[in-house]
PDB file of all heavy atoms in Angstrom:
ATOM      1  N   ARG A 198     -85.197  54.525  86.928  1.00 96.00           N
ATOM      2  CA  ARG A 198     -83.831  53.936  87.084  1.00 96.00           C
ATOM      3  C   ARG A 198     -83.633  53.324  88.443  1.00 96.00           C
ATOM      4  O   ARG A 198     -84.353  53.684  89.461  1.00 96.00           O
ATOM      5  CB  ARG A 198     -82.787  54.981  86.896  1.00 96.00           C
ATOM      6  CG  ARG A 198     -82.935  55.870  85.642  1.00 96.00           C
ATOM      7  CD  ARG A 198     -82.768  55.072  84.382  1.00 96.00           C
ATOM      8  NE  ARG A 198     -82.705  55.981  83.221  1.00 96.00           N
ATOM      9  CZ  ARG A 198     -83.271  55.709  82.053  1.00 96.00           C
ATOM     10  NH1 ARG A 198     -83.777  54.442  81.827  1.00 96.00           N
ATOM     11  NH2 ARG A 198     -83.224  56.531  81.075  1.00 96.00           N
ATOM     12  N   LEU A 199     -82.758  52.319  88.552  1.00 97.00           N
ATOM     13  CA  LEU A 199     -82.483  51.604  89.797  1.00 97.00           C
ATOM     14  C   LEU A 199     -81.428  52.250  90.596  1.00 97.00           C
ATOM     15  O   LEU A 199     -80.328  52.592  90.157  1.00 97.00           O
ATOM     16  CB  LEU A 199     -82.052  50.175  89.442  1.00 97.00           C
ATOM     17  CG  LEU A 199     -81.622  49.302  90.551  1.00 97.00           C
ATOM     18  CD1 LEU A 199     -82.764  49.047  91.549  1.00 97.00           C
ATOM     19  CD2 LEU A 199     -81.005  47.982  90.090  1.00 97.00           C
ATOM     20  N   ILE A 200     -81.684  52.463  91.926  1.00 98.00           N
ATOM     21  CA  ILE A 200     -80.726  53.021  92.848  1.00 98.00           C
ATOM     22  C   ILE A 200     -80.433  51.983  93.961  1.00 98.00           C
ATOM     23  O   ILE A 200     -81.333  51.564  94.627  1.00 98.00           O
ATOM     24  CB  ILE A 200     -81.236  54.326  93.510  1.00 98.00           C
ATOM     25  CG1 ILE A 200     -81.733  55.292  92.469  1.00 98.00           C
ATOM     26  CG2 ILE A 200     -80.207  54.924  94.468  1.00 98.00           C
ATOM     27  CD1 ILE A 200     -82.693  56.442  93.108  1.00 98.00           C
ATOM     28  N   ILE A 201     -79.134  51.662  94.114  1.00 98.00           N
ATOM     29  CA  ILE A 201     -78.734  50.714  95.157  1.00 98.00           C
ATOM     30  C   ILE A 201     -77.751  51.481  96.104  1.00 98.00           C
ATOM     31  O   ILE A 201     -76.704  52.010  95.593  1.00 98.00           O
ATOM     32  CB  ILE A 201     -78.051  49.497  94.695  1.00 98.00           C
ATOM     33  CG1 ILE A 201     -79.037  48.769  93.757  1.00 98.00           C
ATOM     34  CG2 ILE A 201     -77.636  48.591  95.793  1.00 98.00           C
ATOM     35  CD1 ILE A 201     -78.391  47.542  93.036  1.00 98.00           C
ATOM     36  N   SER A 202     -78.026  51.563  97.386  1.00 98.00           N
ATOM     37  CA  SER A 202     -77.149  52.254  98.371  1.00 98.00           C
ATOM     38  C   SER A 202     -76.554  51.184  99.256  1.00 98.00           C
ATOM     39  O   SER A 202     -77.253  50.387  99.798  1.00 98.00           O
ATOM     40  CB  SER A 202     -77.969  53.242  99.225  1.00 98.00           C
ATOM     41  OG  SER A 202     -77.119  53.797 100.195  1.00 98.00           O
ATOM     42  N   VAL A 203     -75.260  51.211  99.360  1.00 98.00           N
ATOM     43  CA  VAL A 203     -74.512  50.265 100.219  1.00 98.00           C
ATOM     44  C   VAL A 203     -73.745  51.093 101.282  1.00 98.00           C
ATOM     45  O   VAL A 203     -72.823  51.861 100.929  1.00 98.00           O
ATOM     46  CB  VAL A 203     -73.536  49.375  99.462  1.00 98.00           C
ATOM     47  CG1 VAL A 203     -72.904  48.340 100.453  1.00 98.00           C
ATOM     48  CG2 VAL A 203     -74.249  48.649  98.371  1.00 98.00           C
ATOM     49  N   MET A 204     -74.182  51.042 102.472  1.00 98.00           N
ATOM     50  CA  MET A 204     -73.561  51.897 103.549  1.00 98.00           C
ATOM     51  C   MET A 204     -72.454  51.051 104.268  1.00 98.00           C
ATOM     52  O   MET A 204     -72.675  49.962 104.751  1.00 98.00           O
ATOM     53  CB  MET A 204     -74.667  52.368 104.566  1.00 98.00           C
ATOM     54  CG  MET A 204     -75.622  53.345 104.010  1.00 98.00           C
ATOM     55  SD  MET A 204     -77.020  53.707 105.057  1.00 98.00           S
ATOM     56  CE  MET A 204     -78.405  52.985 104.117  1.00 98.00           C
ATOM     57  N   THR A 205     -71.241  51.681 104.331  1.00 97.00           N
ATOM     58  CA  THR A 205     -70.142  51.077 104.959  1.00 97.00           C
ATOM     59  C   THR A 205     -69.737  51.906 106.131  1.00 97.00           C
ATOM     60  O   THR A 205     -70.218  52.944 106.425  1.00 97.00           O
ATOM     61  CB  THR A 205     -68.987  50.827 103.916  1.00 97.00           C
ATOM     62  OG1 THR A 205     -68.372  52.126 103.639  1.00 97.00           O
ATOM     63  CG2 THR A 205     -69.441  50.238 102.679  1.00 97.00           C
ATOM     64  N   HIS A 206     -68.742  51.348 106.862  1.00 96.00           N
ATOM     65  CA  HIS A 206     -68.299  51.948 108.137  1.00 96.00           C
ATOM     66  C   HIS A 206     -67.288  53.134 107.859  1.00 96.00           C
ATOM     67  O   HIS A 206     -66.318  52.989 107.243  1.00 96.00           O
ATOM     68  CB  HIS A 206     -67.691  50.968 108.999  1.00 96.00           C
ATOM     69  CG  HIS A 206     -67.180  51.535 110.385  1.00 96.00           C
ATOM     70  ND1 HIS A 206     -68.013  51.740 111.390  1.00 96.00           N
ATOM     71  CD2 HIS A 206     -65.973  51.932 110.730  1.00 96.00           C
ATOM     72  CE1 HIS A 206     -67.348  52.278 112.461  1.00 96.00           C
ATOM     73  NE2 HIS A 206     -66.090  52.286 112.059  1.00 96.00           N
ATOM     74  N   PRO A 207     -67.632  54.355 108.370  1.00 96.00           N
ATOM     75  CA  PRO A 207     -68.885  54.892 108.948  1.00 96.00           C
ATOM     76  C   PRO A 207     -69.679  55.620 107.889  1.00 96.00           C
ATOM     77  O   PRO A 207     -69.102  56.219 106.931  1.00 96.00           O
ATOM     78  CB  PRO A 207     -68.403  55.799 109.992  1.00 96.00           C
ATOM     79  CG  PRO A 207     -67.144  56.432 109.418  1.00 96.00           C
ATOM     80  CD  PRO A 207     -66.521  55.345 108.523  1.00 96.00           C
ATOM     81  N   THR A 208     -70.982  55.638 108.031  1.00 97.00           N
ATOM     82  CA  THR A 208     -71.882  56.567 107.241  1.00 97.00           C
ATOM     83  C   THR A 208     -72.704  57.427 108.127  1.00 97.00           C
ATOM     84  O   THR A 208     -73.613  56.939 108.752  1.00 97.00           O
ATOM     85  CB  THR A 208     -72.771  55.696 106.309  1.00 97.00           C
ATOM     86  OG1 THR A 208     -72.005  54.886 105.385  1.00 97.00           O
ATOM     87  CG2 THR A 208     -73.709  56.581 105.517  1.00 97.00           C
ATOM     88  N   THR A 209     -72.251  58.689 108.253  1.00 96.00           N
ATOM     89  CA  THR A 209     -72.858  59.528 109.283  1.00 96.00           C
ATOM     90  C   THR A 209     -73.084  60.970 108.728  1.00 96.00           C
ATOM     91  O   THR A 209     -72.784  61.320 107.550  1.00 96.00           O
ATOM     92  CB  THR A 209     -71.830  59.714 110.473  1.00 96.00           C
ATOM     93  OG1 THR A 209     -70.569  60.246 110.035  1.00 96.00           O
ATOM     94  CG2 THR A 209     -71.647  58.339 111.084  1.00 96.00           C
ATOM     95  N   GLY A 210     -73.719  61.789 109.537  1.00 95.00           N
ATOM     96  CA  GLY A 210     -73.955  63.187 109.210  1.00 95.00           C
ATOM     97  C   GLY A 210     -74.764  63.385 108.013  1.00 95.00           C
ATOM     98  O   GLY A 210     -75.707  62.676 107.669  1.00 95.00           O
ATOM     99  N   GLY A 211     -74.456  64.446 107.260  1.00 94.00           N
ATOM    100  CA  GLY A 211     -75.224  64.858 106.070  1.00 94.00           C
ATOM    101  C   GLY A 211     -75.325  63.786 104.942  1.00 94.00           C
ATOM    102  O   GLY A 211     -76.296  63.774 104.192  1.00 94.00           O
ATOM    103  N   VAL A 212     -74.319  62.852 104.893  1.00 97.00           N
ATOM    104  CA  VAL A 212     -74.427  61.825 103.859  1.00 97.00           C
ATOM    105  C   VAL A 212     -75.460  60.802 104.226  1.00 97.00           C
ATOM    106  O   VAL A 212     -76.307  60.464 103.403  1.00 97.00           O
ATOM    107  CB  VAL A 212     -73.036  61.222 103.751  1.00 97.00           C
ATOM    108  CG1 VAL A 212     -73.124  59.875 102.837  1.00 97.00           C
ATOM    109  CG2 VAL A 212     -71.967  62.134 103.102  1.00 97.00           C
ATOM    110  N   SER A 213     -75.543  60.443 105.553  1.00 96.00           N
ATOM    111  CA  SER A 213     -76.551  59.492 105.931  1.00 96.00           C
ATOM    112  C   SER A 213     -77.940  60.082 105.849  1.00 96.00           C
ATOM    113  O   SER A 213     -78.983  59.394 105.605  1.00 96.00           O
ATOM    114  CB  SER A 213     -76.319  59.016 107.390  1.00 96.00           C
ATOM    115  OG  SER A 213     -76.622  60.018 108.304  1.00 96.00           O
ATOM    116  N   ALA A 214     -77.988  61.405 105.967  1.00 95.00           N
ATOM    117  CA  ALA A 214     -79.291  62.182 105.945  1.00 95.00           C
ATOM    118  C   ALA A 214     -79.742  62.528 104.553  1.00 95.00           C
ATOM    119  O   ALA A 214     -80.816  63.123 104.361  1.00 95.00           O
ATOM    120  CB  ALA A 214     -79.220  63.413 106.826  1.00 95.00           C
ATOM    121  N   SER A 215     -78.942  62.167 103.508  1.00 96.00           N
ATOM    122  CA  SER A 215     -79.403  62.519 102.136  1.00 96.00           C
ATOM    123  C   SER A 215     -79.308  61.334 101.212  1.00 96.00           C
ATOM    124  O   SER A 215     -80.005  60.356 101.399  1.00 96.00           O
ATOM    125  CB  SER A 215     -78.494  63.687 101.707  1.00 96.00           C
ATOM    126  OG  SER A 215     -77.140  63.369 101.732  1.00 96.00           O
ATOM    127  N   PHE A 216     -78.356  61.257 100.301  1.00 97.00           N
ATOM    128  CA  PHE A 216     -78.399  60.276  99.233  1.00 97.00           C
ATOM    129  C   PHE A 216     -78.177  58.804  99.767  1.00 97.00           C
ATOM    130  O   PHE A 216     -78.592  57.891  99.144  1.00 97.00           O
ATOM    131  CB  PHE A 216     -77.365  60.571  98.129  1.00 97.00           C
ATOM    132  CG  PHE A 216     -75.993  60.716  98.533  1.00 97.00           C
ATOM    133  CD1 PHE A 216     -75.192  59.601  98.663  1.00 97.00           C
ATOM    134  CD2 PHE A 216     -75.401  61.927  98.930  1.00 97.00           C
ATOM    135  CE1 PHE A 216     -73.865  59.673  99.006  1.00 97.00           C
ATOM    136  CE2 PHE A 216     -74.072  61.983  99.304  1.00 97.00           C
ATOM    137  CZ  PHE A 216     -73.306  60.838  99.345  1.00 97.00           C
ATOM    138  N   ALA A 217     -77.513  58.681 100.885  1.00 97.00           N
ATOM    139  CA  ALA A 217     -77.231  57.310 101.434  1.00 97.00           C
ATOM    140  C   ALA A 217     -78.465  56.545 101.724  1.00 97.00           C
ATOM    141  O   ALA A 217     -78.534  55.337 101.691  1.00 97.00           O
ATOM    142  CB  ALA A 217     -76.324  57.404 102.635  1.00 97.00           C
ATOM    143  N   SER A 218     -79.525  57.263 102.084  1.00 96.00           N
ATOM    144  CA  SER A 218     -80.797  56.677 102.545  1.00 96.00           C
ATOM    145  C   SER A 218     -81.901  56.603 101.482  1.00 96.00           C
ATOM    146  O   SER A 218     -83.027  56.325 101.812  1.00 96.00           O
ATOM    147  CB  SER A 218     -81.289  57.393 103.771  1.00 96.00           C
ATOM    148  OG  SER A 218     -80.288  57.374 104.819  1.00 96.00           O
ATOM    149  N   LEU A 219     -81.521  56.942 100.276  1.00 97.00           N
ATOM    150  CA  LEU A 219     -82.556  57.127  99.219  1.00 97.00           C
ATOM    151  C   LEU A 219     -82.514  56.018  98.194  1.00 97.00           C
ATOM    152  O   LEU A 219     -83.069  56.155  97.094  1.00 97.00           O
ATOM    153  CB  LEU A 219     -82.372  58.452  98.538  1.00 97.00           C
ATOM    154  CG  LEU A 219     -82.640  59.770  99.440  1.00 97.00           C
ATOM    155  CD1 LEU A 219     -82.336  61.030  98.640  1.00 97.00           C
ATOM    156  CD2 LEU A 219     -83.967  59.744 100.077  1.00 97.00           C
ATOM    157  N   GLY A 220     -81.989  54.853  98.456  1.00 97.00           N
ATOM    158  CA  GLY A 220     -81.926  53.776  97.519  1.00 97.00           C
ATOM    159  C   GLY A 220     -83.246  53.067  97.393  1.00 97.00           C
ATOM    160  O   GLY A 220     -84.044  53.036  98.298  1.00 97.00           O
ATOM    161  N   ASP A 221     -83.427  52.468  96.193  1.00 97.00           N
ATOM    162  CA  ASP A 221     -84.522  51.449  96.063  1.00 97.00           C
ATOM    163  C   ASP A 221     -84.200  50.300  97.008  1.00 97.00           C
ATOM    164  O   ASP A 221     -85.066  49.642  97.464  1.00 97.00           O
ATOM    165  CB  ASP A 221     -84.726  51.057  94.599  1.00 97.00           C
ATOM    166  CG  ASP A 221     -85.059  52.235  93.707  1.00 97.00           C
ATOM    167  OD1 ASP A 221     -86.014  52.928  94.001  1.00 97.00           O
ATOM    168  OD2 ASP A 221     -84.325  52.432  92.767  1.00 97.00           O
ATOM    169  N   TYR A 222     -82.887  49.955  97.071  1.00 98.00           N
ATOM    170  CA  TYR A 222     -82.410  48.999  97.985  1.00 98.00           C
ATOM    171  C   TYR A 222     -81.388  49.706  98.894  1.00 98.00           C
ATOM    172  O   TYR A 222     -80.459  50.332  98.362  1.00 98.00           O
ATOM    173  CB  TYR A 222     -81.662  47.817  97.244  1.00 98.00           C
ATOM    174  CG  TYR A 222     -82.569  47.039  96.318  1.00 98.00           C
ATOM    175  CD1 TYR A 222     -82.712  47.367  94.982  1.00 98.00           C
ATOM    176  CD2 TYR A 222     -83.275  45.916  96.790  1.00 98.00           C
ATOM    177  CE1 TYR A 222     -83.452  46.589  94.120  1.00 98.00           C
ATOM    178  CE2 TYR A 222     -83.986  45.151  95.977  1.00 98.00           C
ATOM    179  CZ  TYR A 222     -84.135  45.480  94.594  1.00 98.00           C
ATOM    180  OH  TYR A 222     -84.920  44.742  93.763  1.00 98.00           O
ATOM    181  N   ASN A 223     -81.592  49.536 100.140  1.00 98.00           N
ATOM    182  CA  ASN A 223     -80.571  50.126 101.099  1.00 98.00           C
ATOM    183  C   ASN A 223     -79.895  48.917 101.863  1.00 98.00           C
ATOM    184  O   ASN A 223     -80.576  48.301 102.667  1.00 98.00           O
ATOM    185  CB  ASN A 223     -81.347  51.043 102.095  1.00 98.00           C
ATOM    186  CG  ASN A 223     -81.727  52.296 101.486  1.00 98.00           C
ATOM    187  OD1 ASN A 223     -81.076  52.925 100.578  1.00 98.00           O
ATOM    188  ND2 ASN A 223     -82.932  52.800 101.850  1.00 98.00           N
ATOM    189  N   PHE A 224     -78.647  48.780 101.565  1.00 98.00           N
ATOM    190  CA  PHE A 224     -77.843  47.697 102.225  1.00 98.00           C
ATOM    191  C   PHE A 224     -76.754  48.283 103.133  1.00 98.00           C
ATOM    192  O   PHE A 224     -76.536  49.462 103.032  1.00 98.00           O
ATOM    193  CB  PHE A 224     -77.253  46.802 101.141  1.00 98.00           C
ATOM    194  CG  PHE A 224     -78.200  46.123 100.224  1.00 98.00           C
ATOM    195  CD1 PHE A 224     -77.953  46.070  98.846  1.00 98.00           C
ATOM    196  CD2 PHE A 224     -79.387  45.530 100.732  1.00 98.00           C
ATOM    197  CE1 PHE A 224     -78.773  45.389  97.968  1.00 98.00           C
ATOM    198  CE2 PHE A 224     -80.250  44.956  99.833  1.00 98.00           C
ATOM    199  CZ  PHE A 224     -79.963  44.870  98.500  1.00 98.00           C
ATOM    200  N   ALA A 225     -76.165  47.423 103.900  1.00 98.00           N
ATOM    201  CA  ALA A 225     -75.017  47.818 104.708  1.00 98.00           C
ATOM    202  C   ALA A 225     -74.155  46.641 104.950  1.00 98.00           C
ATOM    203  O   ALA A 225     -74.545  45.487 104.846  1.00 98.00           O
ATOM    204  CB  ALA A 225     -75.464  48.423 106.042  1.00 98.00           C
ATOM    205  N   GLU A 226     -72.844  46.964 105.203  1.00 98.00           N
ATOM    206  CA  GLU A 226     -71.916  45.845 105.615  1.00 98.00           C
ATOM    207  C   GLU A 226     -72.061  45.638 107.155  1.00 98.00           C
ATOM    208  O   GLU A 226     -72.418  46.513 107.872  1.00 98.00           O
ATOM    209  CB  GLU A 226     -70.533  46.302 105.268  1.00 98.00           C
ATOM    210  CG  GLU A 226     -70.201  46.314 103.819  1.00 98.00           C
ATOM    211  CD  GLU A 226     -68.765  46.518 103.505  1.00 98.00           C
ATOM    212  OE1 GLU A 226     -68.003  47.142 104.323  1.00 98.00           O
ATOM    213  OE2 GLU A 226     -68.323  46.111 102.390  1.00 98.00           O
ATOM    214  N   PRO A 227     -71.742  44.385 107.577  1.00 97.00           N
ATOM    215  CA  PRO A 227     -71.798  44.069 109.043  1.00 97.00           C
ATOM    216  C   PRO A 227     -71.069  44.990 109.884  1.00 97.00           C
ATOM    217  O   PRO A 227     -69.891  45.400 109.573  1.00 97.00           O
ATOM    218  CB  PRO A 227     -71.327  42.667 109.106  1.00 97.00           C
ATOM    219  CG  PRO A 227     -71.513  42.071 107.724  1.00 97.00           C
ATOM    220  CD  PRO A 227     -71.291  43.224 106.753  1.00 97.00           C
ATOM    221  N   GLY A 228     -71.645  45.390 110.946  1.00 96.00           N
ATOM    222  CA  GLY A 228     -70.964  46.250 111.971  1.00 96.00           C
ATOM    223  C   GLY A 228     -70.771  47.685 111.623  1.00 96.00           C
ATOM    224  O   GLY A 228     -70.197  48.484 112.409  1.00 96.00           O
ATOM    225  N   ALA A 229     -71.269  48.129 110.441  1.00 97.00           N
ATOM    226  CA  ALA A 229     -71.066  49.575 110.012  1.00 97.00           C
ATOM    227  C   ALA A 229     -71.822  50.443 110.992  1.00 97.00           C
ATOM    228  O   ALA A 229     -72.912  50.283 111.453  1.00 97.00           O
ATOM    229  CB  ALA A 229     -71.619  49.759 108.631  1.00 97.00           C
ATOM    230  N   LEU A 230     -71.147  51.569 111.316  1.00 96.00           N
ATOM    231  CA  LEU A 230     -71.719  52.637 112.090  1.00 96.00           C
ATOM    232  C   LEU A 230     -72.499  53.553 111.083  1.00 96.00           C
ATOM    233  O   LEU A 230     -71.942  54.032 110.155  1.00 96.00           O
ATOM    234  CB  LEU A 230     -70.589  53.539 112.741  1.00 96.00           C
ATOM    235  CG  LEU A 230     -71.062  54.807 113.415  1.00 96.00           C
ATOM    236  CD1 LEU A 230     -72.035  54.573 114.629  1.00 96.00           C
ATOM    237  CD2 LEU A 230     -69.951  55.677 113.857  1.00 96.00           C
ATOM    238  N   ILE A 231     -73.792  53.636 111.362  1.00 97.00           N
ATOM    239  CA  ILE A 231     -74.722  54.453 110.454  1.00 97.00           C
ATOM    240  C   ILE A 231     -75.543  55.350 111.340  1.00 97.00           C
ATOM    241  O   ILE A 231     -76.293  54.850 112.254  1.00 97.00           O
ATOM    242  CB  ILE A 231     -75.579  53.540 109.674  1.00 97.00           C
ATOM    243  CG1 ILE A 231     -74.749  52.588 108.793  1.00 97.00           C
ATOM    244  CG2 ILE A 231     -76.526  54.365 108.733  1.00 97.00           C
ATOM    245  CD1 ILE A 231     -75.523  51.466 108.161  1.00 97.00           C
ATOM    246  N   GLY A 232     -75.560  56.639 111.181  1.00 95.00           N
ATOM    247  CA  GLY A 232     -76.410  57.576 111.891  1.00 95.00           C
ATOM    248  C   GLY A 232     -76.098  58.978 111.531  1.00 95.00           C
ATOM    249  O   GLY A 232     -75.247  59.283 110.716  1.00 95.00           O
ATOM    250  N   PHE A 233     -76.951  59.867 112.087  1.00 93.00           N
ATOM    251  CA  PHE A 233     -76.768  61.287 111.813  1.00 93.00           C
ATOM    252  C   PHE A 233     -75.936  61.995 112.875  1.00 93.00           C
ATOM    253  O   PHE A 233     -74.737  62.251 112.755  1.00 93.00           O
ATOM    254  CB  PHE A 233     -78.116  61.966 111.720  1.00 93.00           C
ATOM    255  CG  PHE A 233     -77.981  63.403 111.365  1.00 93.00           C
ATOM    256  CD1 PHE A 233     -77.464  63.899 110.195  1.00 93.00           C
ATOM    257  CD2 PHE A 233     -78.469  64.434 112.261  1.00 93.00           C
ATOM    258  CE1 PHE A 233     -77.385  65.241 109.861  1.00 93.00           C
ATOM    259  CE2 PHE A 233     -78.385  65.740 111.991  1.00 93.00           C
ATOM    260  CZ  PHE A 233     -77.824  66.155 110.771  1.00 93.00           C
ATOM    261  N   ALA A 234     -76.523  62.250 114.022  1.00 90.00           N
ATOM    262  CA  ALA A 234     -75.762  62.839 115.172  1.00 90.00           C
ATOM    263  C   ALA A 234     -75.032  61.762 115.985  1.00 90.00           C
ATOM    264  O   ALA A 234     -75.341  60.533 115.853  1.00 90.00           O
ATOM    265  CB  ALA A 234     -76.727  63.603 116.058  1.00 90.00           C
TER     266      ALA A 234
END
Side-chain angles (χ1 to χ4, degrees):
R198 311 293 186 215
L199 173 66
I200 307 165
I201 302 174
S202 175
V203 183
M204 293 172 244
T205 71
H206 179 80
T208 296
T209 60
V212 170
S213 71
S215 56
F216 60 87
S218 304
L219 297 178
D221 298 306
Y222 297 91
N223 290 321
F224 299 139
E226 290 187 335
L230 170 67
I231 303 167
F233 180 64

